[in-house]
Each structure stands twice: as C-alpha cells, then as structure tokens.
Amino acid sequence: MKKETVGFVGLGNMGNHMARNLIKNGYPIVVFDVNTDSTNSLKSDGASVASSPAEVASAVTKIVTMLPESSHVQEVYNGSKGIFSTVQKDSILIDSSTIDPSVSQHMASEAQKKGSVYLDAPVSGGVNAARDALLTFMVGGPETHFNQANELLSLMGKNVVHCGAVGTGQAAKICNNMLLGISMIGTAETMNLGMKLGLDPKMLAKILNMSSGRCWSSEVYNPVPGVLEGVPSSNDYKGGFGTALMTKDLGLAQSAATTTKAPTPLGSVAHQLYRTMVNHGLGGKDFSSAYLFLQDKNQK
Amino acid sequence: MKKETVGFVGLGNMGNHMARNLIKNGYPIVVFDVNTDSTNSLKSDGASVASSPAEVASAVTKIVTMLPESSHVQEVYNGSKGIFSTVQKDSILIDSSTIDPSVSQHMASEAQKKGSVYLDAPVSGGVNAARDALLTFMVGGPETHFNQANELLSLMGKNVVHCGAVGTGQAAKICNNMLLGISMIGTAETMNLGMKLGLDPKMLAKILNMSSGRCWSSEVYNPVPGVLEGVPSSNDYKGGFGTALMTKDLGLAQSAATTTKAPTPLGSVAHQLYRTMVNHGLGGKDFSSAYLFLQDKNQK
Amino acid sequence: MKKETVGFVGLGNMGNHMARNLIKNGYPIVVFDVNTDSTNSLKSDGASVASSPAEVASAVTKIVTMLPESSHVQEVYNGSKGIFSTVQKDSILIDSSTIDPSVSQHMASEAQKKGSVYLDAPVSGGVNAARDALLTFMVGGPETHFNQANELLSLMGKNVVHCGAVGTGQAAKICNNMLLGISMIGTAETMNLGMKLGLDPKMLAKILNMSSGRCWSSEVYNPVPGVLEGVPSSNDYKGGFGTALMTKDLGLAQSAATTTKAPTPLGSVAHQLYRTMVNHGLGGKDFSSAYLFLQDKNQK
Amino acid sequence: MKKETVGFVGLGNMGNHMARNLIKNGYPIVVFDVNTDSTNSLKSDGASVASSPAEVASAVTKIVTMLPESSHVQEVYNGSKGIFSTVQKDSILIDSSTIDPSVSQHMASEAQKKGSVYLDAPVSGGVNAARDALLTFMVGGPETHFNQANELLSLMGKNVVHCGAVGTGQAAKICNNMLLGISMIGTAETMNLGMKLGLDPKMLAKILNMSSGRCWSSEVYNPVPGVLEGVPSSNDYKGGFGTALMTKDLGLAQSAATTTKAPTPLGSVAHQLYRTMVNHGLGGKDFSSAYLFLQDKNQK
C-alpha cells in the first residue's frame, strides 16, 4: 500500500537526516529549504522539491519542520509564502525546532484558526542520532494528535515522549538543556580543580562516576581531553553541540524563567559563561570547551 | 589468632558506626571522644575507653580518626594531649575527616617527623552507609601504607580508592561534593522551572533521566517532594546530608580553588546559595531543600 | 495665550503626579486610566476624562503615556480602542513607561505609518521626584521631535536628556537600573561582611564613601538600617523602589543582553537574587532589603 | 631636635615611596628588603640598610612593614631572622600589607607576648598616591597606639582612619576592594550592554553619573577606552591596579566571608571572573580590563 506523502521544511544538519529517514521508510516526501544545495541533495534521493512552505502545505497534510530559531518558525508558518497561507483543513504540523514555548503556543493557536493542528516536538541527540534515527522527541499537543505524530516521529527517533499540552515539548527540551549546560560547566570546573590539586583526571572521573557527583557530562561526555575516547574533548572540541547553540538554548531558558518568575541562579550564570565563551571565539566548538575556557593560558 | 587492637577517635554520627564495624569484625578497639555518652555506648559494646588521644596513641599503633572540621583534627593530633605527643614509631594514622587538603598535608609531615605515617581517607555515603559498612573511602598517601590501611578500611566500606599522594583523598572528596552541590541546585531550579512551564514533575524527571541532563540528583535523590520515595525531599527534607555540612564542604572547595588559582564560577555561586539557605534556617535540613528555597512563598 | 490641551494615559503612582504638574503649568489635559478613582481624582483638579485612549487621541495631538509594562503599552497604543486607532497626523506621542526597547521601536514604526511620532522617554527618580517635578527623562527619538517633547517634559522633570534614536531612552534606563541593582546587592553584602568582621556600619560606610568602593547605594541610599536617615532601610524598607519593580527592570536588561549578545554576569545573578527575594515575600519592600535577605535569621 | 629613627621593611612599588616620604620629613630610617636594588636605592637617599628584619628590630622601636601577602608577613615577623626574634619592649609595629585579618590578629597576639604592639594599617590609593603622600590608611588597634602610629602615617598619607580593634583595618580594606571589584565589573557589563543597544559611551557614562547607577568606577575610572582621559582604560589598561592583585584581595574577602558565614554572592562571582581574566593573560593589566574581557572578539 502506498504511503501518504509527507512535507519537510528545513534541511540543515539535523533536518536532512530526518527527512532521509522518512524516505528510507518508504514515505514519498516533498521538501523546502532556502538552501538549494540542500534541496538538490534530497532530490537526488527521491524527494520532490517545492518552491515555498506554502507550496508544501498545499500539496500535503502532514508536515515536519526543523528550523534554527523562533524567527524562522514565524517566517515559515506565518510569512507571506508560509504554511498558514495555504494549509489544508485537518493538517498535522509537527515542529521539531527548539524555540520559545510561547511561540509554539502562538503557532498552535494560529493553526487552530485554520482548522489544522500544530505540535511542538523538539529533539535531543545530535547529528549522529538524527542520521541513525536515535533521536528523542519531546512532544507537546493533544493526546489524539500525538498518536498521529508518533507514527512519523518513531521513524526518525527511538523515544517519542508525550509531555503534555502544546509548548511542553519545548519546556522539557529547554529544561534538559539548562541542566546539561550547568552540569557541563560544573564538571569542567571540578575536573580542573581536582587536577590542580594533584589528581589524575581519569582517576577523578572514575571517583565522581561511582559517587554522588556523577552526571552525564562526567560519565559519557567528559570535557577533559583524554579521559574518554570518541568525544569532542578528545578531538579538539570539534563536532558535538556547539557553544553558540547551547547559548541560544540557555537564552530560551532564561526567557521562560523570567516569564514564569522561576529563579534560575546557576542557569543564568551558565548562560553568561557560554555567552562569554562565544565572544572569545569558542562558539563553533563543542560546549564542553568550557574546560578549555577555564584553563590557565599563562602556563604554556 | 587474636587481632591487633585499633584506636578510634571521634565517635559522632558517622564514627560510632565505623568503630562498631571494627568490633563486629573481631578487632579489639580503644576509643576516645569528648562526649562521654558516645564513649559509654561503645564501652558497652566492648571497647576500651581512653582519657585522651595521647592515651590512645600510647596504647596502639593503628588509629582511625573521624572529626568534624580542620580545627578538631589539629587539636586531636597536635594538641597538648594529642596523638603526636605520644605516637609510636611506625604507627599508621588514618584520618577520615573531611578537611582542608593542606591541613592533611601538614599532619602528614608532622607524622613523618615522628617516624609514623598519616593518610587522609575521607568518606562518601551517609549515616546508613556507615552503619552498613557501605562507605566509599578516598585515600591519599604512599602506596605501601595504603595497602595497610586498606585492610581496616575495607571492613568499614565497600570501596576503598587510592587517589595518590597525601591530600588527594580530601581533594577527591571536595571535588565530588562541589559537583554534587552544583548539580543539586541545578536540578532544583530545572525542576521548578519545568513545573512552572506546565510539566508534571515525575514526567520531567523521567525525561531528564533518559537524556543528557541526568545526574545523581535528578535520578536517585530528586529534590521535588513526591518524585521519588525514600529520599529526604519526600520526608520534609529530614535526614540525609545537611545544608550546613554541604556549605562547609563547598567552603573547603573554594579555599582549595583560591590556593590553586582554579576558577570555579558555579561552585562559588552554589556555595553562596547554600550559605544563604543556612541563614534562612535550612542548615539542619537536607541540602536538597534548595528546591524549597527557590519556591515562591507568596503562592500559599 | 491659552495653552494647547495635552493627553495623558496612565495615572498610577507616578503618572498622576506628572499629569498634575502639567495642570499646574497651565496646560488643559484630557486623561484616561482603567482605574476610575484615579480619573475622578484628576477630574477634581480640572482634567477632562476620556473613555478610552482612542478618545484621547482623537481629541489632542500631544499625548504622554505612563504604564507599568510592555503589554500595557501594546494595549494602549495598538489595542482596538488604542491610540493608533484614531491618532491624528503629526501627533507627538511620548511614552514614559519603562519597557523593552524593541517594543518602543515597534511602536515608533507603527506611529510612523500613521504619520505621527513616538518617542520613548522613561524616567528615573521615584514618586517624590514625580510629585516635585524633579524627574530625569531619558529620551529616544529624532532630534527635532525631542525638542518638541522637551517643552512638556521639562515641566515634569529637572533633567531631560536626549539619548539618540528611538529605543535609546529605554536602553539608558535599563542600563542605569542594572548597574544600580548590582551596586545595591554589592553594598548590602559588603556592609554585612564588614559588620561580621567587627566594623561599625557608619564607620564602614564612611570609609567606603571616601574610597574607591563608593557608589550611590553606599552614599545616599545605604541598605543598613540606621546608617542614613530618611531612606527606606531606616523605615523598615517601606516606600522607595520595590524589589518586584527592580526585578522587572533587570528582566528587561537580561532580555536586551540576550538579544544583543552582551555578557552580563553580575546583572544576571542580581536579577536572580531579586527574583528569589520576591519569592520570599520582599516584592513590595524597597530593593535595599537585599541586606535583610542576606542576614542570618538564626541569630535572633 | 633630632627625630627618632624608624624601621621600614618591604621596599616594593609602594613601600619605597612610603619610606622616602619619611626621609623627606626628616626621619632617619633603617630599611630591609630581600631585593638589594631596592635597598641600594634607598641607601643613596640616606637610609641605613639592615641585613634582616631582626637587625631592624634590634635597632629601632618603630617599624613599618609593607609586604605582598600573608606568607611574607609571617616570615618577616615570625621567621628565624624575623622582627619578633629581637623586638624591643614597647615597640610599635605598623603593618601596611593587605592580608588576612586573622593573620593580623595572630601577629598582634604574638607582639603582645613580647611586650610590643602590632597594628594593621593597610592602604588604599596606588603608586602615585604613595609617592605623593596621598594614601588613605585604615588602622586597626588600640586607640592609644593608634595615636602614636598616626604621627608617622600622616606623613605618608592624607587620611588616617581608626577602624577599631586589630584586624579591622584589613576588614575595611577588603570590604572596600570587594565592593570596588563588583562595581567595576558591573560598570563594564553595563557600558558594554548600552553600547550594543546603540548608546554613545560618553553619553551613557554621563547619564549613569547623574543617576542612581553612578559609582567610582563609572565616574573617575571608567573602563571603556576614550570615555575619560588619564585612566588605565585609555592607556591600553597599563598602570593602575593589576587584575592579579584584585583577584588576591577578593580571595581574602572570600576567605573572611567563609569564616564569618556572611553570604557574598556578587563578591564571589566577581572573584571568579577576575581569576578567569588572570588565566586569560590579563593579570598584569589594570582590573578595568574586565571590559576588554567581556568584549566580543569575533567582531574584529
């Protein structure tokens, strides 16, 4: 039985892999991206290419979007050639971008006016997880529509979690990344302090990981070069999750914290430190380069 | 074969359990504490009671000490009726207190002048772990003496880790607790933010724990009441590890960071927050009461 | 010669005094506020009362607005009965609210579409300065229109500063308040530390104020009760500038810092501390109650 | 009438000027420093040179010391050739070093055992103030001995303030420098934010200085190049008060805060930021280079 065609807008580092996983699972897709190299590459893999989000929305009733920031989401959905200009009744719109939860909520209410449904479904896991369909999706939206979205999302990830009403997917994502951002700097300063006190870094990591200090950053993504293999810190902080992106996510967390009047003392300091790291040229390096930033540069 | 008598100084919440585990394993012990209730209790379990640390040191050549702060260690070892006033040649002195690494190093050098050996061996794990001989010991000192100490320590804990030269046991301990102190506040502010954004706390904890935000504090010691059973947060923050003790350990970390010129931005903010919590009356509550401290009290 | 009637929208703690100062200077005014007590009070002083911002804008071509937050500004200008629905060509709209600079810029561009002019003109100085026409106005907008606005503003304040293009008035305001918010907490923790170290608070304030530590908060608004007379700290932190308002202004600063990618480490920590103070019930107290918040409550 | 000979130990950047001001006022002096260039230079100006602090103390009964850190003070007073080894009864020992208040208190109690008096008298004001006898001395010690010390100190400074018991001079000094360190970073981030928001830096400084944000750092030591003439920021951050020295003073403040259990949230973040600046090579630059550190380096 032929599968229904799916639309995909946003074919960047993450989106192009996600779209390909739909193709691999037998779904015809129609795609749009402002970058024609990206669309050409998908075309050669079998995708149809549309000239605008509006054209995608007039062709199909299931669309996935994967965009860098809130402003792109507003343009792709609400712009003059945006999805909402042509969206069909009962369409399902799944936005996997990481953006401000209040923007997600606004998009959902616009979608509702058009008789369609918008769900926020941001992801955790990086480029490799996108390629290997190992992403985790955190989904916000009504239960019934979650089940419809789940069918597609489970082809692109291994975990699809329903978090609650629209916007809660974003909320879960920025909460996770705030705690991650804090833990990573905490791990970096702890490892650096321990080494200055005479501890071997592998020994210290072992002790932390068998004790109450352990966290994802100390266990599977240690920021000190040489402690673990195959992580960015052991590859000159290349690849991974860029400091500029972490800074952006912590900015979303701060904005949400201000709106909800929730104090986030460590989240705000972490945000400012990553911001300063970006200013010092580390924006394109993995965020575990916090360790590099704290190092004493006079000792070389 | 009769076992050699061991000395034990410091019979507080932790020390009394540790001493009892030596008795259970067939070791005769001679004890001292300024609190006679504590010594009487051990006496009824078979311990001999000495009138001073000096008397302990003149009676035995293996001594374990478990004291609250650096100043007590200095008094017990270096005071007028201290261990060093009578210590025998080739004695092994094992200090399980959590204190400033530089004080440990000073004690070790004093011990050396007397022809004896001092090792720092602070513990992780709380009162229950002390009772059940499930502590982790982080030991600093020469390899050969570590092996001698190991024989006794393994009767009181399940993990005995050799960290390096004297002082590195303390270093490992304060590094672990600094990262723990940071992660706990990070978890508290993240959980609070997520709940304000509409997420169910158990759902949010589940998502964090399957993602990169996971840490010991989110997984096994969650600070939000009701997320986990059997943790202090679900028992009005009673029991566990007091905020005042965490504040003390972070003070040691800050002192070590200043001495070694290692930047610890989040460690220092965490220290100040726990200090402020103590000032607000939470010193005797578990340190996971950071969640309580961040709460909006106007909403009741 | 009869003076031109001026519109005034927003008659709260500040606005009612500012409007009265226009009356005192011989200007007929037409006012609007959602609170009828406020409009009745102005009516008894000679003001005409309109039923909406739209009615004000249809009656006059010079309008001053003084509102609590960005959302109120959007409603008063852009709402269905807002100023823009009836604004006359060549009107001058002067907004003295403290809001997000990007909202000011948006309002200015909306005004331009209507052939009118919007200037941002937030104030510094509190309720007494408003009453006594001693406010400082920080004005953003074109030079020629600044001169027109100046005529009115100089009746309500003693300093009217042209800061640059529209939005720069807000920028100057939130910069000042960010530095003020930082200095106040800095002064509070410094005074507290000095007193714990045995210094008399008046002596310490004197030393700071003759040295490089001096700031407005140490000199004329000292947060320690009894150091100065006639300031909120010597009156149980009543009156003055509420902690909740400072928190709001620091939230605007954080938002502007995120947008412009400017690191503000101390500004962000200060924001979080004031936020936590609000959560602990100090929102209605003067922001110098930071000193109260840091105090050791166990010592009473 | 011939004046009594005075001893001076520590002839560094500050001390050599202070000692010369005693000579200028007709006091014979006997000096010691480990650096023979320094002693030779004073010798050519008429000073006698001693071979150790002990030799100074055996020759005179009034001694001023000006040393870099606590450890040097301990060596100069308590070392084997230190002042206490030969100090005469009723000697007055005035220590102008900036050190830990508890070390000052320890020295005072040692002095008392010898029948002499120790006062702490740290200074504010830099090298130029030392040269021009414009220093401020903050003095801790008994009233009667303060009056004796005042006679000498007033020859080297313009303000001599009695702060209270011994140690309070240090307390006042580290309090001032903590607030200064906070205000400077606050000013740096505020100026940077304002400029990013489109404000002219001189305009912004003017507004701050006429408003509640004003502080010594914004008014007379502005960290943005070009705002003021004759300050380090307008001379590539050369001269002035080095970041490494500020970091040391904030370390003393943190230590005092931990001992007295006083929360210093902004003081601790400022400490960590200056520490990080030192690690990035700014230790020898003026501490107003905080502005430089926060800058976006990608924009060049």
Side-chain angles (χ1 to χ4, degrees), chain B residues 202-218:
Chain B
K202 286 191 180 182
M203 152 74 73
L204 175 54
K206 184 185 125 189
I207 291 172
L208 295 174
N209 292 336
M210 66 194 284
S211 308
S212 50
R214 78 173 159 79
C215 57
W216 185 88
S217 297
S218 67

Side-chain angles (χ1 to χ4, degrees), chain A residues 161-178:
Chain A
V161 184
H162 187 218
C163 298
V166 80
T168 56
Q170 299 296 350
K173 172 72 186 285
I174 64 180
C175 281
N176 182 72
N177 280 18
M178 185 172 86

Side-chain angles (χ1 to χ4, degrees), chain C residues 264-277:
Chain C
T264 55
L266 298 191
S268 73
V269 177
H271 181 216
Q272 300 301 326
L273 287 169
Y274 288 116
R275 165 76 63 224
T276 307
M277 286 166 60

Side-chain angles (χ1 to χ4, degrees), chain A residues 166-244:
Chain A
V166 80
T168 56
Q170 299 296 350
K173 172 72 186 285
I174 64 180
C175 281
N176 182 72
N177 280 18
M178 185 172 86
L179 186 48
L180 171 61
I182 292 168
S183 307
M184 178 54 82
I185 293 179
T187 302
E189 58 188 65
T190 299
M191 293 294 299
N192 187 44
L193 172 60
M195 290 160 72
K196 292 269 195 173
L197 287 168
L199 291 164
D200 173 79
K202 286 191 180 182
M203 152 75 72
L204 175 54
K206 185 186 125 191
I207 291 171
L208 295 174
N209 293 335
M210 66 194 283
S211 309
S212 51
R214 77 173 159 78
C215 59
W216 185 87
S217 296
S218 67
E219 275 188 302
V220 305
Y221 210 84
N222 200 290
V224 178
V227 168
L228 295 176
E229 287 182 17
V231 293
S233 63
S234 293
N235 186 30
D236 197 24
Y237 300 99
K238 288 178 194 150
F241 184 51
T243 303

